[in-house]
Coordinates of all heavy atoms in Angstrom, one line a residue:
M6 N 0.8 -1.2 0.0 CA 0.0 0.0 0.0 C 0.9 1.3 0.0 O 0.6 2.2 -0.7 CB -0.9 -0.1 1.2 CG -1.9 1.0 1.3 SD -3.1 0.8 -0.1 CE -4.3 1.9 0.4
S7 N 1.9 1.2 0.8 CA 2.8 2.4 0.8 C 3.5 2.6 -0.5 O 3.8 3.8 -0.8 CB 3.8 2.3 2.0 OG 4.7 1.2 1.8
I8 N 3.8 1.6 -1.2 CA 4.5 1.7 -2.5 C 3.5 2.4 -3.5 O 3.9 3.3 -4.3 CB 4.9 0.3 -3.0 CG1 6.0 -0.2 -2.1 CG2 5.4 0.4 -4.5 CD1 6.4 -1.6 -2.5
L9 N 2.3 2.0 -3.4 CA 1.3 2.7 -4.3 C 1.1 4.2 -4.0 O 1.0 5.0 -4.9 CB -0.1 2.0 -4.1 CG -1.2 2.5 -5.0 CD1 -0.9 2.2 -6.4 CD2 -2.5 1.8 -4.6
L10 N 1.2 4.5 -2.7 CA 1.1 5.9 -2.3 C 2.4 6.7 -2.8 O 2.3 7.8 -3.2 CB 1.0 6.0 -0.7 CG 1.0 7.4 -0.2 CD1 -0.3 8.1 -0.6 CD2 1.0 7.4 1.3
L11 N 3.5 6.0 -2.7 CA 4.7 6.7 -3.2 C 4.7 6.9 -4.7 O 5.3 7.8 -5.2 CB 6.0 5.8 -2.8 CG 6.4 5.9 -1.4 CD1 7.5 4.9 -1.1 CD2 6.8 7.3 -1.0
L12 N 4.0 6.0 -5.4 CA 3.9 6.2 -6.9 C 2.9 7.2 -7.2 O 3.0 7.9 -8.3 CB 3.6 4.8 -7.5 CG 4.6 3.8 -7.5 CD1 4.1 2.4 -8.0 CD2 5.9 4.2 -8.2
L13 N 1.8 7.3 -6.5 CA 0.7 8.3 -6.8 C 1.0 9.7 -6.3 O 0.4 10.6 -6.8 CB -0.6 7.8 -6.3 CG -1.1 6.5 -7.0 CD1 -2.4 6.1 -6.4 CD2 -1.4 6.8 -8.5
A14 N 1.8 9.9 -5.3 CA 2.0 11.2 -4.6 C 2.5 12.2 -5.6 O 2.0 13.3 -5.7 CB 2.9 11.0 -3.4
P15 N 3.5 11.9 -6.4 CA 4.0 12.9 -7.4 C 2.9 13.3 -8.4 O 2.8 14.4 -8.8 CB 5.2 12.3 -8.1 CG 5.7 11.2 -7.2 CD 4.5 10.8 -6.4
A16 N 2.1 12.3 -8.8 CA 1.1 12.6 -9.8 C 0.0 13.5 -9.2 O -0.5 14.4 -9.9 CB 0.4 11.3 -10.3
L17 N -0.4 13.3 -8.0 CA -1.3 14.1 -7.3 C -0.8 15.5 -7.1 O -1.5 16.5 -7.3 CB -1.8 13.5 -6.0 CG -2.6 12.2 -6.0 CD1 -2.8 11.7 -4.7 CD2 -3.9 12.5 -6.8
F18 N 0.5 15.6 -6.7 CA 1.1 16.9 -6.6 C 1.2 17.7 -7.9 O 0.9 18.9 -7.9 CB 2.6 16.7 -6.0 CG 3.2 18.0 -5.6 CD1 2.9 18.7 -4.5 CD2 4.3 18.4 -6.4 CE1 3.5 19.8 -4.2 CE2 4.9 19.6 -6.0 CZ 4.5 20.3 -4.9
A19 N 1.5 17.0 -9.0 CA 1.6 17.6 -10.3 C 0.2 18.1 -10.7 O 0.0 19.1 -11.3 CB 2.2 16.7 -11.3
L20 N -0.8 17.3 -10.4 CA -2.2 17.6 -10.8 C -2.7 18.9 -10.0 O -3.3 19.7 -10.6 CB -3.1 16.4 -10.5 CG -4.6 16.6 -10.9 CD1 -4.7 16.7 -12.4 CD2 -5.4 15.4 -10.4
F21 N -2.3 18.9 -8.7 CA -2.6 20.1 -7.9 C -2.0 21.4 -8.5 O -2.7 22.4 -8.7 CB -2.1 19.9 -6.5 CG -2.2 21.1 -5.7 CD1 -3.4 21.6 -5.1 CD2 -1.0 21.9 -5.4 CE1 -3.4 22.7 -4.4 CE2 -1.1 23.0 -4.6 CZ -2.3 23.4 -4.1
W22 N -0.7 21.3 -8.9 CA -0.1 22.5 -9.4 C -0.6 22.9 -10.8 O -0.7 24.0 -11.2 CB 1.4 22.3 -9.5 CG 2.0 22.5 -8.1 CD1 2.5 21.6 -7.3 CD2 2.1 23.8 -7.4 NE1 2.9 22.2 -6.1 CE2 2.7 23.5 -6.1 CE3 1.8 25.1 -7.7 CZ2 2.9 24.5 -5.2 CZ3 2.0 26.1 -6.8 CH2 2.6 25.8 -5.5
L23 N -1.0 21.9 -11.6 CA -1.5 22.1 -12.9 C -2.9 22.8 -12.8 O -3.1 23.8 -13.5 CB -1.7 20.8 -13.7 CG -2.2 20.9 -15.1 CD1 -1.2 21.6 -16.0 CD2 -2.5 19.5 -15.6
I24 N -3.7 22.4 -11.9 CA -5.0 23.1 -11.7 C -4.8 24.5 -11.2 O -5.5 25.4 -11.6 CB -5.9 22.2 -10.7 CG1 -6.3 20.9 -11.4 CG2 -7.1 23.0 -10.2 CD1 -7.0 20.0 -10.4
K25 N -3.9 24.7 -10.2 CA -3.6 26.0 -9.7 C -3.1 26.9 -10.8 O -3.5 28.1 -10.9 CB -2.5 25.9 -8.6 CG -2.3 27.2 -7.8 CD -1.4 26.9 -6.6 CE -1.3 28.2 -5.9 NZ -0.5 28.0 -4.7
F26 N -2.2 26.4 -11.7 CA -1.7 27.2 -12.8 C -2.8 27.6 -13.8 O -2.9 28.7 -14.3 CB -0.6 26.4 -13.6 CG 0.0 27.1 -14.7 CD1 0.8 28.2 -14.5 CD2 -0.2 26.7 -16.0 CE1 1.4 28.9 -15.6 CE2 0.3 27.3 -17.1 CZ 1.1 28.4 -16.9
Q27 N -3.8 26.7 -14.1 CA -4.9 26.9 -15.0 C -5.8 28.0 -14.4 O -6.3 28.8 -15.1 CB -5.6 25.7 -15.3 CG -4.9 24.7 -16.2 CD -4.6 25.3 -17.5 OE1 -5.4 26.0 -18.1 NE2 -3.4 25.1 -18.0
I28 N -6.0 28.0 -13.1 CA -6.9 29.0 -12.5 C -6.2 30.4 -12.6 O -6.9 31.4 -12.9 CB -7.1 28.6 -11.0 CG1 -8.1 27.4 -10.9 CG2 -7.7 29.8 -10.2 CD1 -8.2 26.8 -9.5
C29 N -4.9 30.4 -12.4 CA -4.2 31.7 -12.6 C -4.3 32.2 -14.0 O -4.5 33.4 -14.2 CB -2.7 31.5 -12.2 SG -1.8 33.0 -12.2
L30 N -4.2 31.3 -15.0 CA -4.3 31.7 -16.4 C -5.7 32.2 -16.7 O -5.9 33.1 -17.5 CB -3.9 30.6 -17.3 CG -2.4 30.3 -17.4 CD1 -2.2 29.1 -18.3 CD2 -1.6 31.4 -17.9
A31 N -6.7 31.6 -16.1 CA -8.1 32.0 -16.3 C -8.3 33.4 -15.7 O -9.0 34.2 -16.4 CB -9.0 31.1 -15.6
R32 N -7.7 33.7 -14.6 CA -7.8 35.1 -14.1 C -7.1 36.1 -15.0 O -7.7 37.2 -15.2 CB -7.1 35.2 -12.7 CG -7.9 34.5 -11.6 CD -7.2 34.8 -10.3 NE -8.0 34.1 -9.2 CZ -7.4 33.2 -8.4 NH1 -6.2 32.8 -8.5 NH2 -8.2 32.6 -7.5
V33 N -6.0 35.8 -15.5 CA -5.3 36.7 -16.5 C -6.1 36.9 -17.7 O -6.3 38.0 -18.2 CB -3.9 36.1 -16.8 CG1 -3.3 36.9 -18.0 CG2 -3.0 36.2 -15.6
R34 N -6.7 35.8 -18.2 CA -7.5 35.9 -19.4 C -8.8 36.8 -19.2 O -9.1 37.6 -20.0 CB -8.0 34.5 -19.8 CG -8.1 34.3 -21.3 CD -8.5 32.8 -21.6 NE -7.5 31.9 -21.1 CZ -7.8 30.9 -20.3 NH1 -9.0 30.7 -19.9 NH2 -6.9 30.1 -19.8
Y35 N -9.4 36.7 -18.0 CA -10.5 37.5 -17.7 C -10.1 39.0 -17.6 O -10.8 39.8 -18.2 CB -11.1 37.1 -16.3 CG -12.1 38.0 -15.7 CD1 -13.4 38.0 -16.2 CD2 -11.8 38.9 -14.8 CE1 -14.4 38.8 -15.7 CE2 -12.7 39.8 -14.3 CZ -14.0 39.7 -14.7 OH -15.0 40.6 -14.2
L36 N -9.0 39.3 -17.0 CA -8.5 40.7 -16.9 C -8.2 41.3 -18.3 O -8.5 42.4 -18.6 CB -7.3 40.8 -16.0 CG -7.6 40.6 -14.5 CD1 -6.3 40.6 -13.7 CD2 -8.6 41.6 -14.0
V37 N -7.6 40.4 -19.2 CA -7.2 40.9 -20.5 C -8.5 41.1 -21.3 O -8.6 42.2 -22.0 CB -6.3 39.9 -21.2 CG1 -6.1 40.2 -22.7 CG2 -4.9 39.9 -20.5
D38 N -9.4 40.2 -21.3 CA -10.6 40.3 -22.1 C -11.6 41.4 -21.6 O -12.2 42.1 -22.4 CB -11.4 39.0 -22.1 CG -10.6 37.9 -22.9 OD1 -9.7 38.3 -23.7 OD2 -10.9 36.7 -22.7
S39 N -11.7 41.5 -20.3 CA -12.7 42.5 -19.8 C -12.2 43.9 -19.7 O -13.0 44.8 -19.9 CB -13.1 42.0 -18.4 OG -13.7 40.7 -18.4
Y40 N -11.0 44.1 -19.4 CA -10.5 45.4 -19.1 C -9.4 45.9 -20.0 O -8.9 47.0 -19.9 CB -10.0 45.5 -17.6 CG -11.1 45.3 -16.7 CD1 -11.2 44.0 -16.0 CD2 -12.0 46.2 -16.4 CE1 -12.2 43.8 -15.2 CE2 -13.1 46.0 -15.5 CZ -13.2 44.8 -14.9 OH -14.2 44.5 -14.1
G41 N -9.0 45.1 -21.0 CA -8.0 45.5 -22.0 C -6.6 45.6 -21.4 O -5.8 46.4 -21.8
I42 N -6.3 44.9 -20.4 CA -5.0 44.9 -19.7 C -4.0 44.1 -20.5 O -4.3 43.1 -21.1 CB -5.1 44.3 -18.3 CG1 -6.0 45.2 -17.4 CG2 -3.8 44.1 -17.6 CD1 -6.3 44.7 -16.0
D43 N -2.8 44.6 -20.6 CA -1.7 44.0 -21.4 C -1.2 42.8 -20.7 O -0.9 42.8 -19.5 CB -0.6 45.1 -21.5 CG 0.4 44.6 -22.5 OD1 0.2 43.7 -23.3 OD2 1.5 45.2 -22.5
R44 N -1.1 41.7 -21.4 CA -0.6 40.4 -20.9 C 0.9 40.6 -20.4 O 1.3 40.0 -19.4 CB -0.6 39.3 -21.9 CG -1.8 38.5 -21.9 CD -1.7 37.4 -22.8 NE -3.0 36.9 -23.2 CZ -3.7 36.0 -22.6 NH1 -3.2 35.5 -21.5 NH2 -4.9 35.7 -23.0
K45 N 1.7 41.3 -21.1 CA 3.1 41.5 -20.8 C 3.2 42.2 -19.4 O 4.2 41.8 -18.7 CB 3.8 42.3 -21.8 CG 4.0 41.5 -23.1 CD 4.7 42.3 -24.2 CE 4.7 41.6 -25.5 NZ 5.3 42.4 -26.5
K46 N 2.4 43.1 -19.1 CA 2.4 43.8 -17.8 C 2.0 42.8 -16.7 O 2.4 43.0 -15.6 CB 1.6 45.0 -17.8 CG 2.3 46.1 -18.8 CD 1.5 47.4 -18.8 CE 2.2 48.3 -19.7 NZ 1.4 49.6 -19.8
L47 N 1.0 42.0 -17.0 CA 0.6 41.0 -16.0 C 1.5 39.9 -15.8 O 1.5 39.2 -14.7 CB -0.8 40.4 -16.4 CG -2.0 41.4 -16.3 CD1 -3.2 40.7 -16.8 CD2 -2.2 41.9 -14.9
R48 N 2.4 39.6 -16.7 CA 3.4 38.5 -16.6 C 4.4 38.8 -15.4 O 4.9 37.9 -14.9 CB 4.2 38.4 -17.9 CG 4.3 37.0 -18.4 CD 5.1 36.9 -19.7 NE 4.1 36.9 -20.8 CZ 4.3 37.3 -22.0 NH1 5.5 37.8 -22.3 NH2 3.4 37.2 -22.9
K49 N 4.6 40.1 -15.1 CA 5.5 40.4 -14.1 C 4.9 40.1 -12.7 O 5.6 40.0 -11.7 CB 5.8 41.9 -14.1 CG 6.6 42.3 -15.4 CD 6.7 43.8 -15.5 CE 7.3 44.2 -16.9 NZ 7.3 45.6 -17.0
L50 N 3.6 40.0 -12.6 CA 2.9 39.8 -11.3 C 2.8 38.3 -11.0 O 2.7 37.4 -11.9 CB 1.5 40.4 -11.4 CG 1.4 41.8 -11.7 CD1 -0.1 42.2 -11.8 CD2 2.1 42.7 -10.6
S51 N 2.8 38.0 -9.7 CA 2.6 36.6 -9.3 C 1.1 36.3 -9.3 O 0.3 37.2 -9.4 CB 3.2 36.4 -7.9 OG 2.5 37.1 -7.0
C52 N 0.8 35.0 -9.1 CA -0.6 34.6 -9.1 C -1.3 35.3 -7.9 O -2.5 35.6 -8.0 CB -0.8 33.1 -9.0 SG -0.5 32.3 -10.6
K53 N -0.7 35.4 -6.8 CA -1.2 36.0 -5.6 C -1.6 37.5 -5.9 O -2.6 38.0 -5.5 CB -0.3 35.9 -4.5 CG -0.8 36.2 -3.1 CD 0.2 36.0 -2.0 CE -0.5 35.8 -0.7 NZ 0.5 35.5 0.3
E54 N -0.7 38.2 -6.6 CA -0.9 39.6 -6.9 C -2.0 39.8 -7.9 O -2.8 40.7 -7.8 CB 0.4 40.2 -7.4 CG 1.5 40.3 -6.4 CD 2.8 40.8 -7.0 OE1 3.1 40.4 -8.2 OE2 3.6 41.4 -6.3
I55 N -2.1 38.8 -8.9 CA -3.2 38.9 -9.8 C -4.6 38.6 -9.1 O -5.6 39.3 -9.4 CB -3.0 37.8 -10.9 CG1 -1.8 38.3 -11.8 CG2 -4.2 37.6 -11.8 CD1 -1.4 37.3 -12.8
R56 N -4.6 37.7 -8.1 CA -5.8 37.5 -7.4 C -6.2 38.7 -6.6 O -7.4 39.0 -6.6 CB -5.6 36.3 -6.4 CG -6.8 35.9 -5.7 CD -6.6 34.7 -4.8 NE -5.6 35.0 -3.8 CZ -4.7 34.0 -3.5 NH1 -4.8 32.8 -4.0 NH2 -3.8 34.3 -2.6
T57 N -5.3 39.4 -6.0 CA -5.6 40.6 -5.2 C -6.1 41.7 -6.2 O -7.0 42.5 -5.8 CB -4.5 41.1 -4.4 OG1 -3.4 41.4 -5.2 CG2 -4.2 40.1 -3.3
L58 N -5.5 41.8 -7.4 CA -5.9 42.8 -8.3 C -7.3 42.6 -8.8 O -8.1 43.5 -8.8 CB -4.9 42.8 -9.6 CG -5.3 43.7 -10.7 CD1 -5.2 45.2 -10.3 CD2 -4.4 43.5 -11.9
R59 N -7.6 41.3 -9.1 CA -9.0 41.0 -9.5 C -10.0 41.2 -8.4 O -11.1 41.7 -8.7 CB -9.1 39.6 -10.0 CG -10.5 39.3 -10.5 CD -10.6 38.0 -11.3 NE -12.0 37.8 -11.6 CZ -12.4 36.7 -12.1 NH1 -11.6 35.7 -12.3 NH2 -13.7 36.5 -12.3
S60 N -9.7 40.9 -7.2 CA -10.6 41.1 -6.1 C -10.8 42.6 -5.9 O -11.9 43.0 -5.6 CB -10.2 40.4 -4.8 OG -9.0 41.0 -4.4
S61 N -9.8 43.4 -6.0 CA -9.9 44.9 -5.9 C -10.8 45.4 -7.0 O -11.6 46.3 -6.7 CB -8.5 45.5 -6.0 OG -7.7 45.1 -4.9
I62 N -10.6 44.9 -8.2 CA -11.4 45.4 -9.3 C -12.9 45.0 -9.1 O -13.8 45.9 -9.3 CB -10.9 44.8 -10.6 CG1 -9.6 45.5 -11.0 CG2 -11.9 44.9 -11.7 CD1 -8.9 44.9 -12.2
D63 N -13.1 43.8 -8.6 CA -14.5 43.4 -8.4 C -15.2 44.2 -7.2 O -16.3 44.5 -7.3 CB -14.6 41.9 -8.0 CG -14.3 41.0 -9.2 OD1 -14.5 41.5 -10.3 OD2 -14.0 39.8 -9.0
E64 N -14.4 44.5 -6.2 CA -14.9 45.3 -5.1 C -15.2 46.7 -5.6 O -16.3 47.3 -5.2 CB -13.9 45.4 -4.0 CG -14.3 46.1 -2.8 CD -13.3 46.1 -1.7 OE1 -12.5 45.2 -1.6 OE2 -13.3 47.1 -0.9
L65 N -14.4 47.3 -6.4 CA -14.7 48.7 -7.0 C -15.9 48.7 -7.9 O -16.6 49.6 -8.0 CB -13.5 49.2 -7.7 CG -12.3 49.6 -6.7 CD1 -11.1 50.0 -7.5 CD2 -12.7 50.7 -5.8
R66 N -16.1 47.6 -8.6 CA -17.2 47.5 -9.5 C -18.5 47.4 -8.7 O -19.5 48.0 -9.0 CB -17.1 46.2 -10.4 CG -16.2 46.4 -11.6 CD -16.2 45.3 -12.5 NE -17.5 45.1 -13.1 CZ -18.1 43.9 -13.3 NH1 -17.4 42.8 -13.0 NH2 -19.3 43.8 -13.8
R67 N -18.5 46.7 -7.6 CA -19.6 46.6 -6.7 C -20.0 47.9 -6.1 O -21.2 48.2 -5.9 CB -19.4 45.5 -5.6 CG -19.8 44.2 -6.0 CD -19.7 43.2 -4.9 NE -18.6 42.3 -5.2 CZ -17.5 42.2 -4.3 NH1 -17.5 42.8 -3.2 NH2 -16.5 41.5 -4.7
K68 N -19.0 48.7 -5.8 CA -19.2 50.0 -5.2 C -19.6 51.1 -6.3 O -19.9 52.2 -5.9 CB -18.0 50.5 -4.5 CG -17.6 49.7 -3.2 CD -16.4 50.3 -2.6 CE -16.0 49.6 -1.3 NZ -14.8 50.1 -0.7
N69 N -19.5 50.7 -7.5 CA -19.7 51.6 -8.7 C -18.8 52.9 -8.6 O -19.3 54.0 -8.9 CB -21.2 52.1 -8.7 CG -22.1 50.9 -9.1 OD1 -21.7 50.1 -9.9 ND2 -23.3 50.9 -8.5
D70 N -17.6 52.6 -8.3 CA -16.6 53.7 -8.2 C -15.7 53.7 -9.5 O -14.7 53.1 -9.6 CB -15.7 53.6 -7.0 CG -14.9 54.8 -6.7 OD1 -14.9 55.7 -7.5 OD2 -14.1 54.8 -5.7
A71 N -16.2 54.4 -10.5 CA -15.6 54.3 -11.8 C -14.2 55.0 -11.9 O -13.3 54.5 -12.5 CB -16.5 55.0 -12.9
F72 N -14.1 56.1 -11.1 CA -12.8 56.8 -11.1 C -11.7 56.0 -10.4 O -10.6 55.9 -10.9 CB -12.9 58.1 -10.4 CG -13.8 59.1 -11.2 CD1 -15.0 59.5 -10.7 CD2 -13.5 59.6 -12.4 CE1 -15.9 60.3 -11.4 CE2 -14.3 60.4 -13.1 CZ -15.5 60.8 -12.6
A73 N -12.0 55.3 -9.3 CA -11.0 54.5 -8.7 C -10.7 53.3 -9.5 O -9.5 52.8 -9.5 CB -11.5 54.1 -7.3
L74 N -11.7 52.7 -10.1 CA -11.5 51.6 -11.0 C -10.6 51.9 -12.2 O -9.6 51.2 -12.5 CB -12.8 51.0 -11.5 CG -12.8 49.8 -12.4 CD1 -12.2 48.6 -11.7 CD2 -14.1 49.5 -12.9
E75 N -10.8 53.1 -12.8 CA -9.9 53.5 -13.9 C -8.5 53.8 -13.4 O -7.5 53.4 -14.0 CB -10.5 54.8 -14.5 CG -9.7 55.3 -15.6 CD -9.6 54.4 -16.8 OE1 -10.5 53.6 -17.0 OE2 -8.6 54.4 -17.6
A76 N -8.4 54.3 -12.2 CA -7.0 54.6 -11.6 C -6.3 53.3 -11.3 O -5.1 53.2 -11.5 CB -7.1 55.4 -10.4
L77 N -7.0 52.3 -10.9 CA -6.4 51.0 -10.6 C -6.0 50.3 -11.9 O -4.9 49.6 -11.9 CB -7.4 50.1 -9.8 CG -7.0 48.7 -9.4 CD1 -5.8 48.8 -8.4 CD2 -8.1 48.0 -8.8
V78 N -6.8 50.3 -12.9 CA -6.5 49.6 -14.1 C -5.5 50.3 -15.1 O -4.8 49.6 -15.8 CB -7.8 49.2 -14.9 CG1 -7.6 48.6 -16.2 CG2 -8.7 48.3 -14.0
R79 N -5.5 51.6 -15.0 CA -4.7 52.4 -16.0 C -3.2 51.9 -16.1 O -2.7 51.8 -17.2 CB -4.8 53.9 -15.6 CG -4.0 54.7 -16.6 CD -4.2 56.2 -16.4 NE -5.5 56.5 -16.8 CZ -6.3 57.4 -16.1 NH1 -5.7 58.1 -15.1 NH2 -7.5 57.7 -16.5
P80 N -2.5 51.7 -15.0 CA -1.1 51.3 -15.2 C -0.9 50.0 -15.9 O 0.2 49.7 -16.4 CB -0.6 51.1 -13.7 CG -1.6 51.8 -12.9 CD -2.9 51.8 -13.6
Y81 N -1.9 49.1 -16.0 CA -1.8 47.8 -16.6 C -2.3 47.8 -18.0 O -2.1 46.8 -18.7 CB -2.5 46.8 -15.8 CG -2.0 46.6 -14.4 CD1 -2.7 47.1 -13.3 CD2 -0.7 46.1 -14.1 CE1 -2.3 47.0 -12.0 CE2 -0.3 45.9 -12.8 CZ -1.0 46.4 -11.8 OH -0.6 46.3 -10.5
R82 N -2.9 48.9 -18.5 CA -3.4 48.9 -19.9 C -2.3 49.0 -20.9 O -1.3 49.5 -20.7 CB -4.4 50.1 -20.0 CG -5.7 49.9 -19.3 CD -6.8 50.2 -20.2 NE -8.1 49.8 -19.6 CZ -9.0 50.6 -19.2 NH1 -8.9 51.9 -19.3 NH2 -10.1 50.1 -18.6
A83 N -2.7 48.5 -22.1 CA -1.7 48.5 -23.2 C -1.5 49.9 -23.8 O -2.3 50.7 -23.7 CB -2.2 47.5 -24.3

């Protein structure tokens, strides 16, 4: 049983990181498509920073604060 666990552990670990990477790419795709943000500028950010950027954008959209939203997105636009 432990041999089976040793064989499957790397595969499960790789699957976890693959799913995490795909979620990060989906966030980048959403920001590029919705707000016209440049991919090259987002490449410099980590997945954690992209997640905080998207949550900040969503929060400003809920508050209907267009000026703050524009100020937040402007440095990342193409």
